[in-house]
Amino acid sequence: MSLTVQLSTMIAMSAMGVWLGAAIDTYGRFAKQRRSFHWLVAVNDLLFWLIQGLLVFYVLLQVNQGEMRFYVLLALICGYAGYQALFRNYYQALLERLIRFAILTFRFIRSVIIVLFIRPIKWLLKLLYSLCMMVITATVAVLVFVGKVLLKPLQWLGNALLKLIPTTEIIAFLKKITYYQQVKGFIKRLFNRDDRGD
């Protein structure tokens, strides 16, 4: 391995150490770690370290065809320590600002969507509902009016017929029907008694 390749490997691994420090802080900020063991936390940790290991190996593969030496690990540790000593506070402050900016941007976009799309759609739906109710109410009122107009002659005819027929005759007719029913019931009872007597 030439001196240029070794120097490139040292610089790349130092940069990857800084990257690892920033990635760990970012992961710790977003992944709300629990004190007790949880399988989801364990899976997230495993995936995080697997991705970081693959990234380090990919960079190492690009720089020196994946040759692993002691100074590679040393450069990685030095990069991580340099991040902890020099860049960590600045990165965490920048990360918090970026998070706040992303939250404010999301809230702004949500407010714009609510004002420009959701509220007009709600207003249109309320308007359509009011129009439908008005049409239904008007239709029912028209149908009731037409029904009253059509039934009015029948009502007049019924009243005229009632005036032509005397009420005493109707009452007498009803009494006859009632008397006929009573006689019919009596005869049925009489025949039923005769049958039982035989």
Side-chain angles (χ1 to χ4, degrees):
M1 188 186 298
S2 65
L3 190 61
T4 307
V5 174
Q6 289 180 4
L7 183 62
S8 300
T9 304
M10 290 284 289
I11 293 171
M13 288 300 102
S14 297
M16 287 308 296
V18 173
W19 163 262
L20 276 176
I24 290 169
D25 282 343
T26 306
Y27 177 70
R29 173 64 178 80
F30 286 106
K32 296 178 180 177
Q33 299 289 347
R34 301 180 181 180
R35 292 182 181 178
S36 60
F37 177 78
H38 192 265
W39 66 270
L40 191 59
V41 175
V43 169
N44 286 338
D45 289 344
L46 182 64
L47 287 174
F48 172 76
W49 286 110
L50 184 64
I51 291 169
Q52 299 309 315
L54 288 173
L55 281 173
V56 170
F57 183 73
Y58 177 76
V59 172
L60 191 64
L61 192 65
Q62 295 298 316
V63 174
N64 68 356
Q65 284 77 41
E67 290 187 26
M68 194 68 183
R69 304 284 175 90
F70 175 73
Y71 66 85
V72 171
L73 289 176
L74 191 62
L76 204 59
I77 293 169
C78 286
Y80 180 76
Y83 166 79
Q84 292 288 331
L86 300 174
F87 305 117
R88 185 179 187 191
N89 293 332
Y90 299 109
Y91 176 73
Q92 286 180 343
L94 177 65
L95 181 63
E96 291 299 325
R97 288 180 183 173
L98 288 174
I99 291 170
R100 281 198 297 271
F101 177 75
I103 291 171
L104 290 174
T105 305
F106 170 75
R107 287 177 180 171
F108 174 74
I109 292 172
R110 185 183 64 181
S111 301
V112 167
I113 290 173
I114 288 172
V115 170
L116 293 181
F117 296 102
I118 294 176
R119 285 184 184 169
I121 289 172
K122 282 184 178 179
W123 183 81
L124 283 174
L125 289 175
K126 286 181 180 178
L127 181 65
L128 285 173
Y129 175 75
S130 301
L131 289 174
C132 288
M133 292 305 296
M134 286 172 59
V135 168
I136 290 170
T137 306
T139 305
V140 170
V142 168
L143 290 175
V144 168
F145 177 74
V146 169
K148 285 181 179 179
V149 168
L150 292 177
L151 290 175
K152 201 67 175 176
L154 294 176
Q155 186 180 358
W156 291 339
L157 182 63
N159 289 334
L161 288 174
L162 284 174
K163 287 178 182 177
L164 290 175
I165 300 172
T167 54
T168 54
E169 291 182 10
I170 295 173
I171 293 170
F173 178 71
L174 291 174
K175 283 182 179 178
K176 284 181 183 178
I177 291 174
T178 307
Y179 178 73
Y180 172 73
Q181 293 292 336
Q182 289 176 354
V183 170
K184 187 177 177 183
F186 175 74
I187 293 171
K188 278 186 180 179
R189 285 196 301 271
L190 187 64
F191 279 114
N192 285 339
R193 284 180 187 171
D194 291 341
D195 292 339
R196 274 179 268 156
D198 293 336

